[in-house]
Amino acid sequence: MIYSDNINAELAEFRKLMADVDKTLNEDAAKRSSYYRTRNGRLLEYDVYDTVCRCAEGTIFDKTIQLVSGQRFPDIVVARYFGIEVKTTQEDHWTSTGSSILESTRVKDVVYIYLTFGKLGGKIQFRSRPYWECMDEIVVTHYPRYRIDMTLKQGETIFDKMGVPYDELQVMDNPVRPVAQYYKKQLTEGETLWWADNDYDDSFSLPAKVRLWSALSPEEKNRLTVLGYCLFPEVLASKYNRYSLWLVTARGIVNNNVRDGFSAGGKSNFLVPVYGAIKAPAAFGRIQKYRHQIERTLNELNEKTLQACWNKQSISKDRLEQWSKLVVSHTKDVIAPEVCMMILKTIFGNNQ
């Protein structure tokens, strides 16, 4: 496709062009509302394109306009460096789902983009604004996308909230990362980002399917239970929220009875030096069952994964000892800290 090389087009004149486009579309919509009610997103691109061409007659943009809709971004290119993305809704509001934040199909050389939005529900109206001024949040379909809000006030865009200008984000190799970091800061207990590149594993990718725990083999159940003990030591205090979320988001597994894998079965008996016979929660009995796997897994896990799951800046060379201290801190309301540590030393042969 050949674009005009008219590089003298000025931003102020492009803005005037877009104001004329809005005025023309709104005047036409007032006369032909029944026509516009039949238009979908793709058909409206042709309407906007025709209107831009008519409004550009006699201006520096005359005969420089190309419709490149389909798999390209933006839909319309003006004088090579300017673009227009067309969005619509059949509802009576000014919000919609926008384009992918990745912008991998962005037309080369386009540096300034306007969004033309057609509200085809209620009173039909059109508005055009600079693209980045209309993005209030990130939402997720199959990939993170912008959410459009044509009523946003200055300073309310997602880029203002993140502190990352649109011009910087759209040229990043991995724009998902700063977006994920922004939303992670807002997470509360019991929440996670299922769609984002997470901190658990450098090779993380969303599972293609979701499985029930009951569909797993005994070997896979054992492996995931061991990972639960290693990554989320709070399970020993019957706190399963983070582990349950991790199963779903990192492994695509739904377990409706997480407790059964850790604390079902009553108390476990231990003969502990100094303290004698001790009854501990059943989860400690399972630690004894998996002790060799736990120790091996702790030493094999990615350091970044442990930092994220344990909420620690650094990981000790003696990972078993560091993990044991975490267990003690999490279970202090269930079992006395000194007793807990002695039980762990008994289980792991005093290696800590």
Side-chain angles (χ1 to χ4, degrees):
M1 183 169 292
I2 300 175
Y3 301 105
S4 167
D5 283 327
N6 183 2
I7 60 174
N8 296 317
E10 295 182 2
L11 180 56
E13 294 191 55
F14 180 67
R15 288 173 173 166
K16 182 180 182 302
L17 172 66
M18 295 311 301
D20 291 341
V21 168
D22 275 1
K23 182 174 181 292
T24 303
L25 283 169
N26 283 315
E27 288 175 351
D28 191 40
K31 299 173 184 176
R32 299 194 298 156
S33 61
S34 58
Y35 167 79
Y36 284 101
R37 293 192 195 283
T38 67
R39 310 302 275 174
N40 58 28
R42 184 62 184 274
L43 293 175
L44 194 66
E45 291 174 9
Y46 292 98
D47 297 322
V48 173
Y49 169 70
D50 289 339
T51 303
V52 174
C53 289
R54 284 188 282 114
C55 291
E57 291 177 1
T59 74
I60 60 174
F61 301 112
D62 197 2
K63 296 182 175 55
T64 72
I65 301 155
Q66 298 286 340
L67 179 65
V68 293
S69 61
Q71 301 302 314
R72 308 301 301 279
F73 172 79
D75 299 312
I76 299 168
V77 174
V78 180
R80 185 175 180 176
Y81 301 107
F82 299 90
I84 304 168
E85 178 73 357
V86 180
K87 293 295 180 182
T88 183
T89 179
Q90 300 294 328
E91 305 297 329
D92 188 15
H93 54 63
W94 289 102
T95 62
S96 179
T97 302
S99 302
S100 165
I101 70 172
L102 189 59
E103 296 188 3
S104 58
T105 61
R106 187 180 180 118
V107 176
K108 183 182 178 182
D109 294 333
V110 171
V111 295
Y112 197 92
I113 299 172
Y114 253 65
L115 177 68
T116 294
F117 192 98
K119 181 177 73 68
L120 306 185
K123 180 182 178 181
I124 296 174
Q125 289 180 285
F126 291 87
R127 289 184 185 177
S128 296
R129 295 181 64 178
Y131 184 74
W132 57 92
E133 289 186 3
C134 315
M135 309 302 154
D136 75 326
E137 291 290 349
I138 305 294
V139 295
V140 182
T141 54
H142 60 288
Y143 196 84
R145 307 171 77 87
Y146 294 114
R147 187 175 72 190
I148 297 167
D149 185 345
M150 298 301 290
T151 67
L152 279 184
K153 296 177 182 177
Q154 191 168 14
E156 293 181 348
T157 73
I158 183 61
F159 312 107
D160 293 310
K161 296 172 187 175
M162 292 193 301
V164 180
Y166 169 73
D167 289 345
E168 291 183 16
L169 191 72
Q170 61 98 9
V171 297
M172 289 181 179
D173 292 335
N174 184 10
V176 174
R177 186 167 296 280
V179 170
Q181 289 173 344
Y182 166 72
Y183 282 105
K184 282 177 182 177
K185 290 177 182 177
Q186 302 178 53
L187 294 177
T188 58
E189 187 173 351
E191 296 179 334
T192 190
L193 299 184
W194 64 266
W195 51 268
D197 207 8
N198 72 23
D199 295 322
Y200 296 145
D201 189 343
D202 288 331
S203 62
F204 173 78
S205 60
L206 287 173
K209 58 185 178 181
V210 176
R211 296 178 293 164
L212 290 173
W213 182 267
S214 58
L216 307 182
S217 67
E219 293 75 21
E220 193 167 7
K221 289 178 181 177
N222 286 344
R223 184 167 63 253
L224 291 169
T225 299
V226 168
L227 280 169
Y229 278 118
C230 293
L231 297 177
F232 309 102
E234 69 266 25
V235 297
L236 285 148
S238 300
K239 297 176 182 178
Y240 308 119
N241 288 346
R242 290 203 307 144
Y243 174 63
S244 296
L245 287 171
W246 174 81
L247 280 177
V248 174
T249 58
R251 294 296 185 267
I253 295 166
V254 176
N255 187 349
N256 293 321
N257 299 294
V258 175
R259 174 183 176 277
D260 291 349
F262 298 98
S263 59
K267 298 287 187 178
S268 296
N269 297 311
F270 292 92
L271 187 61
V272 181
V274 180
Y275 296 95
I278 295 291
K279 286 187 178 294
F284 283 84
R286 285 180 168 78
I287 287 181
Q288 188 168 38
K289 174 184 176 181
Y290 296 122
R291 61 189 183 279
H292 298 302
Q293 291 171 263
I294 288 173
E295 190 166 5
R296 182 173 64 251
T297 301
L298 284 171
N299 289 320
E300 291 174 350
L301 278 166
N302 183 290
E303 183 171 345
K304 180 182 175 183
T305 300
L306 292 177
Q307 287 174 324
C309 293
W310 290 357
N311 193 27
K312 296 293 182 182
Q313 293 296 317
S314 61
I315 301 302
S316 168
K317 290 183 178 179
D318 191 339
R319 294 183 174 187
L320 179 59
E321 180 183 32
Q322 189 173 10
W323 174 81
S324 297
K325 291 179 180 178
L326 287 170
V327 170
V328 170
S329 68
H330 283 298
T331 60
K332 60 185 178 182
D333 294 330
V334 179
I335 186 170
E338 62 275 12
V339 175
C340 180
M341 183 58 79
M342 287 301 296
I343 290 175
L344 292 174
K345 288 183 176 181
T346 299
I347 290 173
F348 290 99
N350 238 2
N351 289 337
Q352 301 95 289

